[in-house]
Amino acid sequence: MAKTKLPDKRRPSPKELLELANKEKLGKLKVFLGAAPGVGKTYAMLSAARAQKAEGVDVVVGVVETHGRSETAALLDGIEVLPRTSLTYRGRDLMEFDVEAAIARKSKLILIDEFAHTNAPGALHTKRYQDVEEILRAGIDVWTTLNIQHLESLTDVVERITGITVRETVPDKVVEQADEIVVVDLPPDELIQRLKEGKVYLPENARQAIDQFFRPGNLTALRELALRRTTDRVDEKMRMHLRQNAIQGAWPTAERLLVCVGSGEQAERVVRTASRMAAALKSPWVALRLQTAEESGASRSSRRRTEKALRLAERLGADTVRVSGKDLVGEILRYASQNNITQIVIGRSRGKRLRGVFGRSLSEVLTANAKDIAVTVVAPLREERVERRFRLPELSTSIKALATSAIAVATAVAAGVGLSYVTPLPNVSLLFLLAVLTCAIRFGIASAISASLLSFLAYNFFFIEPVYTFTVTQPYELVALFVFLLVSIVTAGIAGRLHEQADLIAQRAAATQSLYDFSRKLSAAAKLDDVLWLLAHHVAQSAKGTSVILLRDGDDLVIKSSWPPEDTLPTPDWAAARWAFKNELPAGRFTTTMPNARFNFRPLGSPGAPRGVVGVEPKDAAQTLPPLIEAELQALTDQGSVALERTALVEQSAKANAAVESERLRNALLSSLSHDLRTPLSSIIGSVTSLRALGEKISKDDQADLLATIEDEAGRLTRFVSNLLDMTRLEAGALDIRRDWVDAADAARCAVSRAQKVFADFPMELKIGSKLPLIRGDASLLEQVLFNLLDNARKYAGQESSAVVEVVQAGDEIVLSVTDQGPGIPADALELVFSKFYRVDHGDGRAAGTGLGLSICRGVIAAMGGSIIAESPVRDGKGTRVAVRLPVSIQPENPSRQSRTETP
Amino acid sequence: MTRHRILVVDDEPQIHRFLRPSLSAAGYEVFVAHTGREALKSAATASPDAIVLDLGLPDMDGKAVIAELRGWTTVPILVLSARDREAEKIAALDMGANDYINKPFGIGELLARLRATLRHVDRTSSISTELRVGGVVMDIPAHSVTCRGILVHITPKEFELLGMLLRNAGRVVTHRQLLTSVWGPGHSDDLQYLRVFIGQLRQKIEADPDRPRIIMTEPGIGYRVVEDDALSDV
């Protein structure tokens, strides 16, 4: 069975292949790694670059610091050096590397010295490695240099070895993603020799620290670190290669590491240790945030410390998970077993609270309860034991606490003195306890503690014999006094914590309420503007500041909404907003990209399809956003993004519906044209060819009928074509409608007589009211309308039916109506019949018309200022009446003189 | 000879108005139906020799009429349809219609199609060993084809394909019908076979393969072998 190995261990996983594929699109990063300054990294990089250049590779220098070394400067000769951009910061001009110029230059390879460099304020990113990342994303290869002490996870090790705190750090993840690492090695003795010969550049102000630094012991240790790091990496690269090519090798069993992040002082150190262990094990690792129920009331500083440690873990490549509950050990072990964790790293806690319950610290309990899991306990450093739990609160807070407690205690004294005149008061201490509790509940723990101390003194001074002195004569009074102090401090502590918890819960409730409100309103918002306004409003509200929303418009962003209303942004903010949009990452304030912008921008929309950014500027100028607000903003942004997507989809579907509708109309038009043109043509062609081909074989009567068919059908075709043309002209606005004086009765007479000629078999009756006034309009078009109505009546009512044409005056309108005795129009189709290409389906297949007649009528009548409607049934559930109403204008003074009134 | 009885089904009175005298003059006895139901009733009671059917009927789909007719009769059906309704025509043909004619049409074309359809019925009822169209003679027992008197070398698949077309001379045969009968039902969508084999057949039997006179393409529908007497005796 020794041979059984899981097949998927040998094959590359999809994730690994995907990583490889992504990498191929990016530029390649090569890091020249050294143990210390002066080992010759820049020299090595430039020499290698010259070799590339000689091979014809397009190499440019982004940043190279020669530090006045002539041999290094000589290597620069013949390589293009990109100009730097100058930034003015506090009156000084600083030359910085220009990322955008470097991307625009689009060389094959760019050299960027000092990977760990921190950019001047005002630059695009805070750190140079971020510049490098952006250049890599643009597909340009980068070579850079780095000293081992700048690696984030090693800073504490380096500090322990050398005693120097390294401030410029590069996250391990960034270096791990480098495609190649070249170690530039120099034995410590030679380095010190070079230092003595003055070949190593050292800044004046750091000389002393650096002298300390360049000791053989330090250098040896750093050299070992650099070499070991590189060996680890080579190992990793080898494994990747083997796996990607499905070469079977000796894979280590899958280790998974879990680090517990608490609020202790050593949280960050524990995280670093775990990171190093994970790197050595080549295992994924998870940072678990521990949060007990009572810890939610923990002090702000400890919460901040926890968040900082978590963020460090994230930077070092860990996944972060939050776990909360009463039984922390149980929760940790449950998570560990569910996620196949093999090792747990935990700091040795003081375990104060747990000690109260179990008598043991968290790490001890964990070690005792863990089964099949290795637990590594990181011991605290000595100085970390120094517990500065009750660090002095800020001045304003302490003054406020003191003032409130003084007032409370003074009130208690006054009440006690006052009451003692009324009745003897043996338990006056209860009054002071009341004051302490009031302070605790109203003003928090600091005020409560100060109130207990003040009460202790005041109680002694005012009420314990001898009064008005701090002396206590009776021993039992002394005991009472101290018991009081103890009770009041404990009460203050409990009540104060309760107060803080209540505050926190209130804050959370407010945040939840705000989110709930937001999502409720958002679900009701149908239009984009509503969504944007809601988002802007809520973001501003939750950050207690201002907000702005920019959406994509063509190639650029435009301000779409803001709270309070604002339509301009400072230039740095535009840059930050554009960067956030382009890279789909947060930028601006509180981030490391353009941190001097006023707003903090985060992308809106779904990944890969950003729609814009939302910017937020809190009122108080804090260094970071409080985690609670940060979380709330994230939730708001996410919900807003979803709502934006939704409105976009709604718009899209409306467009699609419109397209479907127009497609339907187009099809209706086509089928109508096809049918209405083809049927008469069929009859005509059929009749003509019959007459020609069969000629004499057809009887005289039939021949005459065929000829009549041809005539009738040609007439039908003509009407259809002229309707079609009218419609086209009407739609194009080209139908010429005259505004003459028209006698409606005359128009009706003409229409009936024309229709009678064409539809000889269809009886029509004409009823004309007396003394009809003239109307303004187009006589020939009005006649055409009535003709169309008669045509319809015949078509839909059937030849056996008949039609009545009526012209009467009703108020200040002339009503022309055509009524038939046909089956009528269904109520729901009464309006539809006026739309283009609509035909009432009578199901008998008779006389399907063009579906154009009525819509032309409506167009013409509307152009004359009138209206046309259909009514059905007219009588006994049968018949249709189509009525045209035209307004009667002020009559011409002497109609007989108006020559133009005559109908043509 | 007895007069063939033709049932004309169309909802447009104008069509009847010219078809009735024309078909009568051409020697047919004409029955009329305006709806699908009427058509089904007439087909059952009047026992027509052929049906001319418009696919656009008011009460039911023309294809449904064909489906019902084919449930109990093999009477030839000639479909009237618009040129732009390929899918409808193919469906009608696959459901058992014998041929189609595009609207608007000349009477000569209609009469030719009617004759071809009716003759096909006569031909299938007798056993023939020889098929001849446009100078092409196909001897079925001998498995040989001569074109204008010259023996043509022909592969078995080509023979089958040509046989299918010649047996239906004057009528359209759909791609699907050709493919399923020659290559089998598994190949009903392999149009490229047809393109190749029809091309080869034309090379062998057409005087000018680029301007075929015998095997005509019905775009989007199928192929039709044109008869010698297409319009000659109208």
Side-chain angles (χ1 to χ4, degrees):
Chain A
M1 289 307 282
K3 278 169 102 179
T4 35
K5 262 201 162 182
L6 291 175
D8 66 311
K9 292 258 170 187
R10 287 196 297 273
R11 245 179 271 127
S13 74
K15 198 179 154 203
E16 281 166 329
L17 286 176
L18 200 67
E19 268 171 20
L20 198 70
N22 280 337
K23 258 193 166 172
E24 272 162 11
K25 277 181 277 173
L26 302 174
K28 295 211 181 331
L29 177 65
K30 185 171 182 170
V31 178
F32 290 79
L33 183 71
V39 294
K41 297 176 302 294
T42 307
Y43 187 90
M45 177 172 78
L46 284 173
S47 309
R50 287 189 80 83
Q52 288 281 307
K53 176 109 185 142
E55 280 171 30
V57 176
D58 182 15
V59 185
V60 297
V61 170
V63 188
V64 163
E65 306 290 353
T66 59
H67 303 307
R69 272 172 247 159
S70 54
E71 42 198 290
T72 311
L75 285 176
L76 272 176
D77 197 34
I79 305 182
E80 181 185 341
V81 180
L82 292 180
R84 300 206 199 170
T85 178
S86 90
L87 288 167
T88 314
Y89 180 65
R90 295 194 181 151
R92 282 200 302 156
D93 274 348
L94 299 169
M95 298 305 277
E96 274 297 350
F97 171 57
D98 189 344
V99 186
E100 274 148 24
I103 291 174
R105 170 62 179 78
K106 263 208 164 314
S107 59
K108 175 79 181 70
L109 171 65
I110 184 164
L111 311 183
I112 300 170
D113 215 356
E114 295 187 9
F115 200 34
H117 175 77
T118 300
N119 288 334
L124 179 63
H125 299 288
T126 332
K127 297 286 191 174
R128 181 167 290 163
Y129 74 79
Q130 293 173 310
D131 296 346
V132 169
E133 282 181 316
E134 194 160 347
I135 291 171
L136 289 172
R137 277 203 292 273
I140 300 170
D141 294 349
V142 179
W143 287 5
T144 187
T145 63
L146 179 73
N147 285 325
I148 192 73
Q149 77 258 28
H150 294 299
L151 266 189
E152 176 92 56
S153 70
L154 293 178
T155 48
D156 56 341
V157 177
V158 170
E159 191 176 340
R160 246 194 351 248
I161 297 170
T162 64
I164 291 168
T165 312
V166 181
R167 304 229 175 271
E168 303 199 320
T169 59
V170 177
D172 296 41
K173 212 161 68 181
V174 180
V175 180
E176 267 160 32
Q177 279 165 358
D179 298 85
E180 244 180 289
I181 291 184
V182 178
V183 181
V184 182
D185 190 33
L186 194 68
D189 293 344
E190 281 179 45
L191 178 57
I192 292 170
Q193 186 62 34
R194 275 171 60 103
L195 189 72
K196 282 180 183 156
E197 288 165 10
K199 284 183 178 167
V200 178
Y201 164 79
L202 298 172
E204 278 309 313
N205 51 2
R207 186 167 289 277
Q208 215 197 332
I210 299 254
D211 278 347
Q212 275 232 306
F213 182 84
F214 283 92
R215 282 184 309 197
N218 283 354
L219 291 177
T220 308
L222 287 173
R223 188 178 175 217
E224 195 190 329
L225 269 180
L227 291 174
R228 201 190 285 165
R229 257 290 151 135
T230 320
T231 348
D232 284 356
R233 235 197 78 91
V234 170
D235 204 27
E236 168 71 11
K237 231 178 148 179
M238 181 68 181
R239 283 189 333 119
M240 279 275 275
H241 170 79
L242 291 176
R243 199 170 278 196
Q244 270 152 8
N245 294 286
I247 301 169
Q248 197 173 349
W251 311 119
T253 50
E255 291 276 355
R256 280 177 72 85
L257 206 117
L258 178 125
V259 57
C260 303
V261 181
S263 59
E265 298 267 348
Q266 54 171 345
E268 283 194 40
R269 215 166 54 83
V270 175
V271 166
R272 283 214 172 80
T273 307
S275 156
R276 280 196 301 274
M277 285 175 66
L281 291 168
K282 291 168 188 56
S283 66
W285 59 298
V286 182
L288 199 70
R289 158 92 158 95
L290 305 177
Q291 200 168 26
T292 48
E294 61 258 45
E295 206 190 323
S296 49
S299 74
R300 187 187 284 195
S301 67
S302 74
R303 245 184 290 143
R304 198 174 295 154
R305 204 157 45 223
T306 316
E307 290 298 328
K308 214 172 141 203
L310 270 184
R311 249 171 293 187
L312 174 72
E314 258 167 27
R315 273 208 306 281
L316 292 173
D319 290 333
T320 55
V321 180
R322 276 157 214 267
V323 166
S324 61
K326 253 193 144 64
D327 174 17
L328 275 188
V329 173
E331 290 295 331
I332 295 170
L333 291 175
R334 192 168 308 130
Y335 181 87
S337 74
Q338 276 169 2
N339 293 279
N340 302 324
I341 298 293
T342 55
Q343 298 214 25
I344 297 177
V345 180
I346 188 165
R348 192 163 76 206
S349 57
R350 290 174 313 282
K352 192 178 122 214
R353 280 180 213 119
L354 275 166
R355 204 186 294 271
V357 185
F358 303 102
R360 288 184 294 178
S361 71
L362 179 60
S363 50
E364 281 164 2
V365 178
L366 189 65
T367 321
N369 288 355
K371 291 183 187 70
D372 293 335
I373 294 179
V375 179
T376 307
V377 179
V378 178
L381 289 181
R382 199 177 303 137
E383 55 266 41
E384 278 172 359
R385 274 187 181 282
V386 179
E387 169 65 350
R388 278 173 291 164
R389 201 172 162 70
F390 294 112
R391 209 178 296 161
L392 270 182
E394 286 160 42
L395 198 61
S396 63
T397 333
S398 51
I399 287 173
K400 200 174 146 200
L402 207 62
T404 50
S405 57
I407 292 168
V409 172
T411 315
V413 170
V417 172
L419 279 174
S420 64
Y421 287 117
V422 182
T423 168
L425 207 63
N427 289 326
V428 84
S429 61
L430 285 176
L431 279 178
F432 287 103
L433 211 53
L434 188 67
V436 170
L437 275 176
T438 312
C439 285
I441 288 162
R442 292 296 303 273
F443 308 107
I445 194 157
S447 172
I449 301 269
S450 123
S452 12
L453 291 172
L454 282 175
S455 301
F456 171 72
L457 296 174
Y459 184 29
N460 183 355
F461 191 77
F462 289 104
F463 297 101
I464 292 181
E465 294 294 335
V467 278
Y468 307 127
T469 63
F470 285 112
T471 14
V472 180
T473 49
Q474 298 298 325
Y476 71 89
E477 300 228 309
L478 194 66
V479 171
L481 203 54
F482 274 100
V483 167
F484 166 75
L485 180 63
L486 205 68
V487 166
S488 75
I489 285 182
V490 168
T491 319
I494 293 169
R497 185 154 293 140
L498 214 62
H499 167 76
E500 283 188 4
Q501 277 184 20
D503 268 4
L504 202 74
I505 287 166
Q507 270 181 47
R508 286 209 178 132
T512 312
Q513 183 62 37
S514 154
L515 267 181
Y516 171 73
D517 272 3
F518 181 59
S519 66
R520 197 169 41 82
K521 285 184 199 154
L522 212 53
S523 62
K527 282 195 301 244
L528 181 66
D529 285 346
D530 298 344
V531 170
L532 293 178
W533 188 86
L534 273 173
L535 183 60
H537 180 99
H538 274 82
V539 164
Q541 209 176 41
S542 74
K544 296 184 186 61
T546 59
S547 70
V548 61
I549 295 174
L550 296 96
L551 286 193
R552 178 210 190 116
D553 186 15
D555 286 340
D556 204 4
L557 294 170
V558 290
I559 300 177
K560 283 282 184 186
S561 189
S562 60
W563 182 269
E566 177 81 49
D567 55 2
T568 53
L569 268 187
T571 319
D573 287 86
W574 272 111
R578 287 191 188 111
W579 194 90
F581 177 71
K582 207 179 106 204
N583 293 279
E584 293 181 51
L585 290 168
R589 193 161 164 193
F590 311 129
T591 69
T592 51
T593 304
M594 293 176 271
N596 52 346
R598 257 177 58 201
F599 286 88
N600 168 259
F601 290 100
R602 43 193 83 214
L604 277 175
S606 49
R611 298 195 175 275
V613 292
V614 54
V616 57
E617 181 198 17
K619 209 184 252 162
D620 52 347
Q623 280 299 302
T624 55
L625 278 174
L628 207 62
I629 292 183
E630 167 72 37
E632 194 184 337
L633 283 180
Q634 197 50 50
L636 287 174
T637 314
D638 289 349
Q639 284 201 21
S641 294
V642 171
L644 278 186
E645 291 291 317
R646 196 195 62 208
T647 51
L649 283 178
V650 166
E651 253 167 54
Q652 254 177 35
S653 91
K655 264 185 207 157
N657 277 344
V660 166
E661 181 58 19
S662 88
E663 174 72 14
R664 202 189 59 77
L665 256 178
R666 210 173 60 88
N667 285 341
L669 170 66
L670 272 177
S671 84
S672 168
L673 280 183
S674 139
H675 181 268
D676 293 320
L677 288 173
R678 228 171 238 133
T679 305
L681 278 176
S682 286
S683 309
I684 293 168
I685 292 175
S687 302
V688 169
T689 50
S690 296
L691 283 171
R692 224 157 98 155
L694 301 165
E696 297 310 309
K697 292 185 190 167
I698 303 174
S699 68
K700 280 275 175 260
D701 284 353
D702 283 346
Q703 282 187 26
D705 194 47
L706 284 178
L707 285 171
T709 302
I710 295 169
E711 198 178 347
D712 290 353
E713 292 303 288
R716 194 151 84 111
L717 208 54
T718 310
R719 288 198 300 282
F720 178 65
V721 169
S722 68
N723 266 348
L724 210 57
L725 288 177
D726 280 353
M727 195 70 228
T728 318
R729 285 212 301 255
L730 205 64
E731 295 219 315
L735 192 66
D736 193 15
I737 295 190
R738 297 162 55 157
R739 303 281 290 162
D740 298 331
W741 290 108
V742 177
D743 182 356
D746 230 14
R749 270 191 289 272
C750 286
V752 168
S753 85
R754 177 151 75 100
Q756 207 69 75
K757 262 183 239 156
V758 184
F759 321 122
D761 53 349
F762 187 65
M764 298 168 201
E765 193 187 335
L766 185 62
K767 289 181 184 168
I768 294 178
S770 58
K771 290 188 182 166
L772 293 175
L774 298 183
I775 50 170
R776 283 279 201 183
D778 188 311
S780 68
L781 283 176
L782 185 59
E783 189 241 290
Q784 180 64 42
V785 165
L786 290 172
F787 180 84
N788 274 357
L789 294 182
L790 283 167
D791 189 10
N792 268 350
R794 183 193 66 96
K795 250 188 294 202
Y796 292 103
Q799 268 116 329
E800 295 81 25
S801 176
S802 65
V804 179
V805 179
E806 206 171 0
V807 187
V808 291
Q809 183 173 8
D812 52 0
E813 281 179 330
I814 291 282
V815 182
L816 300 100
S817 63
V818 175
T819 310
D820 65 43
Q821 286 94 50
I825 301 172
D828 55 355
L830 282 176
E831 253 319 289
L832 281 174
V833 293
F834 292 102
S835 50
K836 240 184 302 172
F837 303 115
Y838 181 87
R839 276 177 279 197
V840 177
D841 184 12
H842 283 306
D844 63 354
R846 301 301 305 275
T850 64
L852 277 176
L854 282 178
S855 90
I856 292 174
C857 292
R858 177 163 274 189
V860 167
I861 296 300
M864 288 190 208
S867 64
I868 180 167
I869 53 156
E871 298 156 1
S872 180
V874 180
R875 194 183 303 136
D876 307 332
K878 283 176 77 182
T880 306
R881 191 174 107 104
V882 181
V884 175
R885 293 169 177 274
L886 286 163
V888 175
S889 324
I890 299 159
Q891 294 298 301
E893 292 199 349
N894 190 350
S896 62
R897 282 198 189 158
Q898 295 275 336
S899 59
R900 278 165 58 178
T901 59
E902 283 173 22
T903 49
Chain B
M1 139 184 162
T2 55
R3 294 193 342 150
H4 280 116
R5 298 148 68 87
I6 312 289
L7 172 61
V8 178
V9 189
D10 201 311
D11 62 324
E12 298 287 346
Q14 302 91 312
I15 302 288
H16 292 297
R17 201 167 158 198
F18 87 86
L19 270 185
R20 180 197 276 275
S22 309
L23 289 177
S24 303
Y28 295 105
E29 196 175 332
V30 181
F31 302 87
V32 170
H34 292 100
T35 64
R37 295 262 149 253
E38 230 178 285
L40 289 171
K41 205 189 283 170
S42 296
T45 53
S47 59
D49 296 304
I51 299 176
V52 174
L53 174 70
D54 184 23
L55 285 181
L57 293 176
D59 61 335
M60 57 192 286
D61 187 10
K63 293 190 286 295
V65 178
I66 298 174
E68 276 202 32
L69 285 173
R70 280 292 172 257
W72 55 270
T73 174
T74 56
V75 62
I77 302 172
L78 181 60
V79 163
L80 298 181
S81 175
R83 185 178 299 282
D84 50 11
R85 299 282 177 89
E86 262 81 20
E88 197 178 71
K89 281 182 280 198
I90 293 171
L93 290 169
D94 284 340
M95 286 177 100
N98 298 60
D99 206 343
Y100 73 92
I101 187 161
N102 284 325
K103 274 182 174 181
F105 51 87
I107 196 75
E109 204 183 348
L110 177 70
L111 293 175
R113 293 285 159 80
L114 259 182
R115 268 199 309 280
T117 314
L118 289 166
R119 185 166 51 242
H120 178 72
V121 178
D122 299 340
R123 193 179 287 167
T124 42
S125 54
S126 64
I127 299 150
S128 95
T129 56
E130 196 184 79
L131 300 168
R132 33 171 88 231
V133 167
V136 177
V137 181
M138 189 170 197
D139 186 338
I140 293 161
H143 228 273
S144 72
V145 174
T146 52
C147 181
R148 289 173 288 274
I150 303 156
L151 191 68
V152 178
H153 173 75
I154 202 155
T155 68
K157 276 273 181 280
E158 286 168 0
F159 187 84
E160 260 186 82
L161 185 61
L162 185 61
M164 176 92 181
L165 286 167
L166 290 184
R167 267 192 303 277
N168 291 287
R171 306 192 313 137
V172 72
V173 190
T174 64
H175 295 135
R176 182 187 288 270
Q177 287 165 349
L178 286 171
L179 283 165
T180 46
S181 94
V182 178
W183 278 274
H187 296 280
S188 60
D189 293 320
D190 295 330
L191 281 185
Q192 70 280 13
Y193 289 17
L194 278 182
R195 302 259 143 76
V196 172
F197 277 84
I198 294 286
Q200 289 170 358
L201 274 179
R202 280 176 177 158
Q203 290 290 338
K204 290 176 183 175
I205 62 169
E206 295 279 1
D208 179 0
D210 291 335
R211 285 182 205 80
R213 304 296 300 269
I214 304 171
I215 304 175
M216 307 302 286
T217 301
E218 295 280 333
I221 305 217
Y223 297 94
R224 181 196 302 276
V225 163
V226 176
E227 289 176 293
D228 312 326
D229 61 346
L231 280 168
S232 56
D233 63 349
V234 173

